[in-house]
Amino acid sequence: EVFLAADDASGELFAVKSASAACAAALRREQRVMAGLSSPRVVSCIGGRGAPDGSYQLFLEFAPGGSLADQMATGLDELAVRGYAADVAAGLAYLHGAGMVHGDVKARNVVIGADGRAKLADFGCSRKAGADVPIIGGTPAFMAPEVARGEEQSPAADVWALGCMVVEMATGRTPWSGMDGDALAALHRIGYT
């Protein structure tokens, strides 16, 4: 769950991503991943805190433009598609240069900052590039064929997902949209056809 909050002292707005005790470890991991990142094309992590009940809150930079998926709902022209794609590509170049893979690039995981530019968000599936531990998660319609087959997820898989996102921005439909209800069939089609 993500909600908006304000700093009592400064009045500055920020986003709060909250998880129950059962999911708190995932948010702590996401905070560790984000702590070392600093780029204008990546959402900033302000910090986090645990509660006595075991729940956890992650504090993130507020993006007043909402998600890229929200922007797509009103339709995007070619100039906007190019601009957002370039912003996400720059964010991925930074992330890959830092030895990381995002693992779940899609419009819902890209936010629009106060400057109108796109920023990568939601690092729940991120990891070090070349790590032997497979990522559990991601979105089937945006998975590269090698990821759908259960092979290594490299920076190239993020670039594939960016391409899928560009298709979605330009057409209003996700690639493989005919497979929406059947994730297993989508994974098979993407990975083996």
Side-chain angles (χ1 to χ4, degrees), residues 147-163:
V147 177
R149 291 190 300 265
E151 298 168 12
E152 178 186 354
Q153 186 162 16
S154 68
D158 282 345
V159 175
W160 172 280
L162 171 58

Side-chain angles (χ1 to χ4, degrees), residues 58-154:
L58 184 61
F59 308 128
L60 304 166
E61 168 188 0
F62 172 57
S67 76
L68 180 54
D70 297 334
Q71 297 293 318
M72 288 171 39
T74 61
L76 298 176
D77 62 21
E78 183 181 339
L79 186 62
V81 171
R82 286 190 328 206
Y84 291 144
D87 289 345
V88 173
L92 289 175
Y94 166 77
L95 197 64
H96 297 160
M100 299 293 298
V101 174
H102 186 277
D104 197 16
V105 176
K106 61 183 179 181
R108 192 62 59 209
N109 292 341
V110 173
V111 295
I112 310 304
D115 60 358
R117 306 281 304 272
K119 297 173 176 255
L120 287 170
D122 197 338
F123 288 80
C125 290
S126 298
R127 64 170 175 76
K128 287 278 186 197
D132 290 335
V133 180
I135 295 176
I136 307 300
T139 304
F142 295 86
M143 285 182 179
E146 65 273 17
V147 177
R149 291 190 300 265
E151 298 168 12
E152 178 186 354
Q153 186 162 16
S154 68

